[in-house]
């Protein structure tokens, strides 16, 4: 029987319904910004970052959580003595700032939220020092100050052996013309940026798979990759801030960008306006995902609807600027390529991957 994200306890229909209810209620508070000299710009609700508009700039705010990836790190630490909390900390920063940049904001300050079930969690110096060092490393990579945080002890809510990692960030768009608004058009090029692996989404399903493997996280993933399942899962996320920053410095407009996390490749059609996103050069799935699809088994449609499948970020640019954008991406250290084209087909909204026989209609992504 094929594994699914829903079977691991995650149902997007329930999560997204709650998010939509929150957005509706939140809109009723927008007028309060006037008392502070700000306003809510059009079309900010439902995007990955919330914007506040001033006369000559925008401020951006994001709140994000790591999810359950640290439970994988805990299991590998217990089994092998290898500590991956540096990587876990980088993941936490990455999932925050990669959302922030989708509107064109560059991160200024990042805060950590580290909730534990028992304060004794912090007594493990190896683990704690790795977490601290990794969070600072992630902030430096994002070009942001580590501004502080919160460390509540939540006995009865969090397991004594666990930590719940999350955080927030503020950023700024100045000049206001750097805002990424979704100015997508027929023929735009779709650029894909490689991920490091699973990054920070789908870990509940990854953990469910580990539980059915005789060797658990110590299982070799094969497919030409020498790592174990646990090691591959715990590769730190890529931080994509440098690409957006360089585009702004060079005056290269980004029509839209997407942080490919929850909802897998469906996230490519997050923009409200209907387009068809045709992926003609998808690349084969990396070894980790091939292993999971075989070992689960996890069918292809479920995999691409849940995981990033090797794609952590996508940018949509005018076709005559695609080569320049790719050169810039590669010059700033990213593995990027031209993966497809935006099509306008009336009110049709979909992601189509002909080489894999996949199509996700707009009804499969309801985040607004």
């Amino acid at each position: 029987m094929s594994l699914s994200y829903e079977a691991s306890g995650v149902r997007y229909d329930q999560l997204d319904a709650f998010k939509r209810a929150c957005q509706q209620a939140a809109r009723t508070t927008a007028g309060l910004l006037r008392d502070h000299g700000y306003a809510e710009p059009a079309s900010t609700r439902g995007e990955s970052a919330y914007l506040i508009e001033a006369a000559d700039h925008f401020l951006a705010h994001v709140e994000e959580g790591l999810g359950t990836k640290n439970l994988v790190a805990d299991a590998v630490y217990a089994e092998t003595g290898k500590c991956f909390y540096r990587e876990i900390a980088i993941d936490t920063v990455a999932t925050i700032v990669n959302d922030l940049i989708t509107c064109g904001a560059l991160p200024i300050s990042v805060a950590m939220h580290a909730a534990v079930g028992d304060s004794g969690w912090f007594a493990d110096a190896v683990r704690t020092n790795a977490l601290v060092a990794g969070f600072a490393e992630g902030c430096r990579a994002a070009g942001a100050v580590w501004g502080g945080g919160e460390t509540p002890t939540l006995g009865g809510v969090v397991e004594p052996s666990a930590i719940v990692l999350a955080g927030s960030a503020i950023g700024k768009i100045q000049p206001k013309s750097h805002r990424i608004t979704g100015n997508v058009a027929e023929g735009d090029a779709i650029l894909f940026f490689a991920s490091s692996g699973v990054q920070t989404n789908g870990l509940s399903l990854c953990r469910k798979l580990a539980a059915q493997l005789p060797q658990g996280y110590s299982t070799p993933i094969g497919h030409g990759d020498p790592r174990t399942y646990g090691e591959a899962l715990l590769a730190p996320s890529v931080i994509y801030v440098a690409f957006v920053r360089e585009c702004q410095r060079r005056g290269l407009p980004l029509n839209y960008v997407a942080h490919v996390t929850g909802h897998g490749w469906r996230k490519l059609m997050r923009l409200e306006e209907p387009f068809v996103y045709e992926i003609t050069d998808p690349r084969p799935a990396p070894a980790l995902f091939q292993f999971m699809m075989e070992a689960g088994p996890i069918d292809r449609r479920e995999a691409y609807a849940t995981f990033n499948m090797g794609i952590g970020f996508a940018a949509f640019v005018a076709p005559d600027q695609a080569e320049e954008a790719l050169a810039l991406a590669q010059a700033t250290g990213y593995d990027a390529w031209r993966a497809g084209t935006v099509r306008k087909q009336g009110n049709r909204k979909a992601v189509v991957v002909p080489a894999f026989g996949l199509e996700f209609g707009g009804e499969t992504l309801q985040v607004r």
Side-chain angles (χ1 to χ4, degrees):
M1 181 177 178
S2 182
L3 293 181
S4 69
Y5 206 22
E6 183 173 320
S8 69
V10 181
R11 289 191 56 177
Y12 279 127
D13 57 345
Q14 295 172 337
L15 292 170
D16 292 344
F18 176 70
K19 291 177 184 178
R20 292 193 298 272
C22 289
Q23 289 175 38
Q24 291 171 8
R27 285 190 183 96
T28 68
T29 69
L32 298 172
L33 286 170
R34 289 192 298 269
D35 297 337
H36 305 280
Y38 291 98
E40 180 178 289
S43 305
T44 189
R45 298 283 179 184
E47 293 295 329
S48 296
Y50 178 69
L51 290 181
I52 299 170
E53 185 171 10
D56 65 347
H57 67 276
F58 295 100
L59 295 177
H61 178 256
V62 161
E63 173 82 17
E64 257 297 341
L66 174 71
T68 64
K69 190 170 183 177
N70 55 293
L71 296 181
V72 178
D74 289 341
V76 171
Y77 191 26
E79 291 175 9
T80 69
K82 296 179 182 178
C83 180
F84 284 87
Y85 265 83
R86 167 192 164 270
E87 291 81 356
I88 286 295
I90 293 171
D91 282 322
T92 307
V93 175
T95 198
I96 298 166
V97 299
N98 287 341
D99 268 3
L100 190 77
I101 60 174
T102 59
C103 65
L106 299 180
I108 297 171
S109 177
V110 180
M112 173 196 283
H113 191 275
V116 294
D118 189 300
S119 58
W121 191 95
F122 296 107
D124 185 327
V126 171
R127 183 173 57 186
T128 301
N129 290 340
L131 176 62
V132 169
F135 204 87
E137 183 179 344
C139 288
R140 285 191 292 269
V145 65
W146 180 356
E150 174 72 0
T151 54
T153 300
L154 305 177
V157 176
V158 179
E159 293 289 336
S161 62
I163 187 169
V164 179
L165 289 167
S168 61
I170 57 171
K172 187 177 183 180
I173 305 173
Q174 192 173 31
K176 292 170 76 172
S177 59
H178 284 165
R179 182 186 175 192
I180 299 170
T181 59
N183 188 29
V184 174
E186 161 78 27
D188 276 1
I190 303 171
L191 310 184
F192 275 178
F193 292 68
S195 67
S196 61
V198 73
Q199 302 208 145
T200 59
N201 189 250
L203 272 299
S204 294
L205 182 51
C206 297
R207 290 167 44 233
K208 187 175 181 66
L209 172 56
Q212 71 181 34
L213 297 172
Q215 293 178 267
Y217 293 113
S218 296
T219 307
I221 63 172
H223 297 280
D225 191 320
R227 295 175 296 175
T228 66
Y229 183 42
E231 290 169 341
L233 288 177
L234 292 167
S237 299
V238 179
I239 292 174
Y240 301 100
V241 174
F243 171 71
V244 174
R245 180 187 296 118
E246 284 304 307
C247 285
Q248 293 180 358
R249 287 178 177 171
R250 307 280 185 91
L252 196 158
L254 296 171
N255 292 344
Y256 197 62
V257 297
H259 182 202
V260 184
T261 54
H263 304 86
W265 284 25
R266 293 177 290 170
K267 193 62 74 62
L268 296 172
M269 55 180 169
R270 183 170 193 145
L271 186 63
E272 190 166 16
E273 186 177 350
F275 288 99
V276 175
Y277 303 88
E278 184 181 23
I279 308 304
T280 51
D281 186 8
R283 280 192 183 177
L288 171 62
F289 299 105
Q290 292 185 48
F291 167 78
M292 289 194 294
M293 290 171 70
E294 292 175 2
I298 302 170
D299 71 43
R300 176 174 279 171
R301 183 175 180 83
E302 180 69 22
Y304 280 84
T306 303
F307 300 112
N308 68 60
M309 301 304 290
I311 310 304
F313 201 72
F316 306 85
V317 300
D320 61 350
Q321 294 175 317
E323 291 306 314
E324 182 183 358
L326 275 178
L328 192 153
Q330 292 160 2
T332 47
Y334 298 104
D335 178 8
W337 69 99
R338 186 168 181 167
T341 305
V342 177
R343 304 296 185 193
K344 186 65 175 175
Q345 298 178 0
N347 291 322
R348 185 185 177 205
K349 187 176 186 179
V351 175
V352 295
V353 192
F356 297 159
L358 291 175
E359 178 173 333
F360 298 104
E363 74 282 355
T364 67
L365 184 71
Q366 300 291 324
V367 295
R368 300 176 188 273

